[in-house]
Amino acid sequence: VTDLHDWRQAQEALRLKDAELAHTTRVMTMGEITSSIAHEINQPLGAILNYGRACLRLIKTGSADLTEIADVLSAIVNDADRASAVITRVRALSKKTPPGIATLQVSDLVTDILPLVRYELTKWGIVLKTDLSPDLSSVMGDRIQLEQVLLNLVINSIDAMKKVSEDRRRLSIEARSHVSEEKPFILIAVSDSGVGLEPEDLPKLFEAFYTTKPEGMGMGLAICRTIVEGHGGRLWATRNGDVGATFQFTVPVRLEEHPPSSG
Ligand SMILES: Nc1ncnc2c1ncn2[C@@H]1O[C@H](COP(=O)(O)OP(=O)(O)OP(=O)(O)O)[C@@H](O)[C@H]1O
Ligand SMILES: [Mg+2]
């Protein structure tokens, strides 16, 4: 009984330690993309300012008809929503929240993190392609942790593409159904046309503190793998046939609860 108790405590401690580390690296990631985040908030704020001025002008010159003003106001509301959604994501990712399993839509996870890197993608001339089938099954997982995985993979891809010629910078995010050992998963693949991976680097990528970046800590992929495996999935890297690398991970599909049989 004591053994079992110790084992449980060890598991719990490990889980807490991982969550702690995941939080620390998440905050550091936020630090890396502050200019992108600032831009994603400033842009709608600037638009709101312009719309507001336009509205005032319409009212002052008396040339306004109400439907016109309503249009401008709804544009203001949209932009305010956009800025506020970014702030909500940043707060959620920066906060220390205990892990919690929920039913999630992979497409929502992608939509959540894209605004945080959109400016970075534009700045580096990276063409983004997403292929997220809308009728994919829901998955079970911790929203913040899974967004952290996606964000890390996307930032790694962006880094890998900074060093290649601008006209070949392409990022793709795809999700599809996947079966492994007869269990249903959703497979998410982040693929880039960056510098790619040497075969001898493949086994090292997921080791803690393995980095080829002057500013890197080498914790990103180690954390990603811990998170994904904590969810019962797998994370692995492959070299693309032509250029670049693909990182893909699986997350278990949320199984339908069977209605109680009346038999
Ligand atoms: N998409 C990719 N293309 C090519 N190499 C990659 C890619 N993703 C990761 N790597 C290699 O794997 C190394 C480890 O990545 P990891 O995310 O663990 O750490 P990092 O990005 O260097 O630092 P950080 O702790 O800030 O994430 C990188 O330094 C890079 O050499
Ligand atoms: Mg990284």
Side-chain angles (χ1 to χ4, degrees), residues 25 28-29 32 152-153 156-160 192 194-197 204-207 210-213 215-222 244-247:
T25 53
M28 288 177 60
T29 305
E32 283 171 46
N152 274 335
L153 296 182
N156 277 350
S157 285
I158 294 174
D159 285 343
D192 63 55
V195 289
L197 305 163
K204 294 183 247 164
L205 296 174
F206 299 93
E207 284 172 16
Y210 172 77
T211 181
T212 56
K213 300 172 195 171
E215 317 270 287
M217 193 163 73
M219 283 309 291
L221 288 175
T246 299
F247 285 76

Side-chain angles (χ1 to χ4, degrees), residues 182-241:
E182 291 174 27
K183 289 196 213 90
F185 291 86
I186 300 295
L187 182 138
I188 300 132
V190 177
S191 184
D192 63 55
S193 56
V195 289
L197 305 163
E198 295 301 327
E200 62 268 26
D201 294 338
L202 286 173
K204 294 183 247 164
L205 296 174
F206 299 93
E207 284 172 16
F209 305 116
Y210 172 77
T211 181
T212 56
K213 300 172 195 171
E215 317 270 287
M217 193 163 73
M219 283 309 291
L221 288 175
I223 297 281
C224 287
R225 184 167 261 180
T226 308
I227 291 175
V228 169
E229 290 181 353
H231 279 76
R234 286 212 313 126
L235 165 67
W236 69 99
T238 46
R239 289 147 45 85
N240 293 343

Side-chain angles (χ1 to χ4, degrees), residues 87-241:
I87 292 170
T88 305
R89 259 9 266 149
V90 172
R91 285 197 58 194
L93 286 161
S94 316
K95 260 205 326 230
K96 197 181 266 180
T97 327
I101 300 291
T103 303
L104 306 166
Q105 226 48 61
V106 168
S107 54
D108 289 343
L109 300 175
V110 177
T111 322
D112 273 352
I113 63 115
L114 278 184
L116 306 183
V117 292
R118 193 169 285 138
Y119 174 68
E120 203 74 12
L121 294 174
T122 314
K123 182 172 135 196
W124 292 96
I126 297 168
V127 178
L128 170 72
K129 192 189 101 205
T130 53
D131 187 354
L132 309 159
S133 161
D135 41 49
L136 284 179
S137 314
S138 313
V139 296
M140 292 290 285
D142 180 88
R143 178 169 170 185
I144 304 293
Q145 290 192 358
L146 292 176
E147 288 184 2
Q148 175 171 12
V149 172
L150 266 172
L151 200 54
N152 274 335
L153 296 182
V154 169
I155 292 174
N156 277 350
S157 285
I158 294 174
D159 285 343
M161 285 190 285
K162 290 176 182 172
K163 296 169 203 139
V164 304
S165 140
E166 185 161 352
D167 56 14
R168 65 162 246 208
R169 293 182 189 151
R170 293 180 311 274
L171 175 71
S172 119
I173 307 176
E174 281 176 37
R176 57 183 167 82
S177 304
H178 175 85
V179 176
S180 172
E181 291 169 358
E182 291 174 27
K183 289 196 213 90
F185 291 86
I186 300 295
L187 182 138
I188 300 132
V190 177
S191 184
D192 63 55
S193 56
V195 289
L197 305 163
E198 295 301 327
E200 62 268 26
D201 294 338
L202 286 173
K204 294 183 247 164
L205 296 174
F206 299 93
E207 284 172 16
F209 305 116
Y210 172 77
T211 181
T212 56
K213 300 172 195 171
E215 317 270 287
M217 193 163 73
M219 283 309 291
L221 288 175
I223 297 281
C224 287
R225 184 167 261 180
T226 308
I227 291 175
V228 169
E229 290 181 353
H231 279 76
R234 286 212 313 126
L235 165 67
W236 69 99
T238 46
R239 289 147 45 85
N240 293 343

